[in-house]
Amino acid sequence: MESSCTALYVHAIAKAVRFGYLDESYLQYAWKGYQGVIDTLKFAENGRVIIGQLCIGTGIGDYAHYIARLTSENDLHGAGAFILMCTEMNLAKQAD
């Protein structure tokens, strides 16, 4: 599992629905992906959100290389994707 890619797909689907490129029925998939990412969150003792399962980057390689990449927590690529996802899903919720 890798959270940042899921977050970017959720963001793209929800935004495509908002702009009318996809039918509103696609939001069910965005919500499912959103919940999947939210379910992976952890919280530090100080209340800080920990976004885990974030790939530290994608290089060129075969499938074995791709799936063996290291993951981290709160990597900026993943944090940015998470923020984009949450922003778009908030807009989707407001439209309901």
Side-chain angles (χ1 to χ4, degrees), residues 29-46:
Y29 305 111
W31 283 114
K32 187 174 182 176
Y34 172 81
Q35 192 61 54
V37 173
I38 295 300
D39 288 346
T40 69
L41 297 179
K42 300 177 200 166
F43 298 90
E45 287 183 22
N46 64 3

Side-chain angles (χ1 to χ4, degrees), residues 50-61:
I50 300 171
I51 308 165
Q53 300 172 302
L54 301 172
C55 179
I56 61 171
T58 302
I60 298 173

Side-chain angles (χ1 to χ4, degrees), residues 28-96:
Q28 68 179 313
Y29 305 111
W31 283 114
K32 187 174 182 176
Y34 172 81
Q35 192 61 54
V37 173
I38 295 300
D39 288 346
T40 69
L41 297 179
K42 300 177 200 166
F43 298 90
E45 287 183 22
N46 64 3
R48 189 180 113 202
V49 175
I50 300 171
I51 308 165
Q53 300 172 302
L54 301 172
C55 179
I56 61 171
T58 302
I60 298 173
D62 60 10
Y63 180 72
H65 169 78
Y66 183 77
I67 62 168
R69 294 170 299 152
L70 298 175
T71 59
S72 67
E73 295 177 337
N74 290 348
D75 178 79
L76 293 179
H77 296 94
F82 179 78
I83 292 167
L84 288 170
M85 175 190 73
C86 290
T87 300
E88 201 59 49
M89 295 310 289
N90 185 54
L91 291 171
K93 186 174 183 175
Q94 290 177 8
D96 283 345

